[in-house]
């Protein structure tokens, strides 16, 4: 397995809808293994195909909840149902979200409290997870990546401008940037 370079915002693959996975072979198995390793090395709680330059509908996730349950695996060709998004203002701490493709930045964003994920694993076995809270947030964030949407695209106007400035200042937002966990001194 190998740690893969993570694409930074501005790379076209991050901003285009991904294609369904149609071939379940050793190459896909290798990709999922590499994505899990890359997510752990970053470290992060989720990583989507487009973030490693693969425009396919899959993501990996790894997160341990407050009760100590570890949620970890791959979601291939996922579908996601979400409860209505809460209204009001996002909390600066509780709703602060980050993304490995916008490393070093965090901005608060309201997300639906509940989500149902349906997908298949590497063996093409269907599974379903009813998620709440942070896990529901992870699924919404990763699922967005498969539609070419970054969380910064969803920020309210003021925060979005701040995020755009930060991206510009880092000279991102254009094709050609990536970082390698373990080598580059960046973190999400
Ligand atoms: Zn992300």
């Amino acid at each position: 397995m190998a740690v893969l370079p993570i694409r930074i915002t501005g790379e076209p693959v991050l901003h285009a809808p991904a294609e369904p996975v149609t071939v379940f072979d050793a190459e896909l198995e290798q990709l999922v293994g590499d994505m899990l390793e890359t997510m752990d090395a970053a470290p992060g709680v989720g990583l989507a195909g487009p973030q490693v330059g693969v425009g396919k509908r899959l993501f990996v996730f790894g997160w341990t909840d407050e009760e100590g349950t570890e949620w970890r695996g791959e979601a291939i060709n996922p579908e996601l149902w979400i409860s209505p998004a809460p209204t009001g203002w996002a909390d600066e701490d509780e709703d602060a979200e980050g993304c490995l493709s916008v490393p070093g930045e965090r901005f608060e964003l309201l997300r639906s409290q509940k989500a149902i994920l349906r997908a298949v694993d590497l063996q093409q076995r269907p599974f379903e997870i009813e998620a709440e809270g942070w896990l529901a947030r992870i699924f919404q964030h990763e699922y967005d990546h498969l539609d070419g949407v970054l969380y910064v695209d969803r920020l309210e106007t003021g925060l979005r401008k701040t995020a755009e400035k930060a991206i510009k200042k880092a000279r991102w937002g254009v094709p050609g940037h990536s970082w390698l966990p373990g080598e580059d001194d960046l973190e999400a």
Side-chain angles (χ1 to χ4, degrees):
M1 288 201 289
V3 173
L4 305 170
I6 298 177
R7 271 43 173 199
I8 291 175
T9 181
E11 275 284 85
V13 68
L14 289 170
H15 307 284
E19 299 286 331
V21 173
T22 52
V23 181
F24 290 74
D25 58 2
E27 203 179 314
L28 184 70
E29 196 176 332
Q30 171 87 37
L31 174 65
V32 166
D34 289 348
M35 284 173 66
L36 284 164
E37 194 174 336
T38 304
M39 176 182 73
D40 291 341
V45 293
L47 187 69
Q51 293 185 276
V52 292
V54 178
K56 296 280 180 192
R57 299 189 75 82
L58 81 158
F59 64 78
V60 296
F61 55 94
W63 181 70
T64 303
D65 68 22
E66 296 83 357
E67 274 122 52
T69 304
E70 192 190 20
W71 300 92
R72 185 178 174 88
E74 70 278 8
I76 301 171
N77 295 334
E79 294 174 42
L80 194 72
W81 284 266
I82 56 174
S83 60
T87 51
W89 295 97
D91 185 89
E92 209 176 313
D93 298 315
E94 272 186 21
D95 297 314
E97 198 165 310
C99 177
L100 297 173
S101 292
V102 192
E105 302 293 338
R106 287 182 85 77
F107 296 99
E108 63 268 30
L109 174 65
L110 282 177
R111 292 280 196 185
S112 298
Q113 268 300 306
K114 294 184 181 179
I116 297 173
L117 172 74
R118 281 183 199 151
V120 298
D121 65 11
L122 271 175
Q123 283 73 41
Q124 299 191 62
R125 291 179 299 217
F127 68 89
E128 179 180 304
I129 298 174
E130 273 187 54
E132 276 188 52
W134 202 259
L135 187 61
R137 181 183 292 273
I138 293 169
F139 289 162
Q140 289 168 75
H141 180 114
E142 299 311 325
Y143 188 85
D144 269 353
H145 274 300
L146 308 184
D147 289 335
V149 174
L150 301 188
Y151 86 104
V152 289
D153 300 328
R154 290 190 178 275
L155 299 175
E156 54 93 0
T157 314
L159 277 182
R160 190 177 166 158
K161 282 191 178 143
T162 308
E164 279 166 5
K165 269 187 204 158
I167 288 165
K168 213 171 173 184
K169 198 174 166 206
R171 297 176 190 271
W172 299 331
V174 291
H177 292 285
S178 65
W179 68 284
L180 193 62
E183 285 202 8
D184 296 316
D185 188 21
L186 290 169
E187 49 184 65

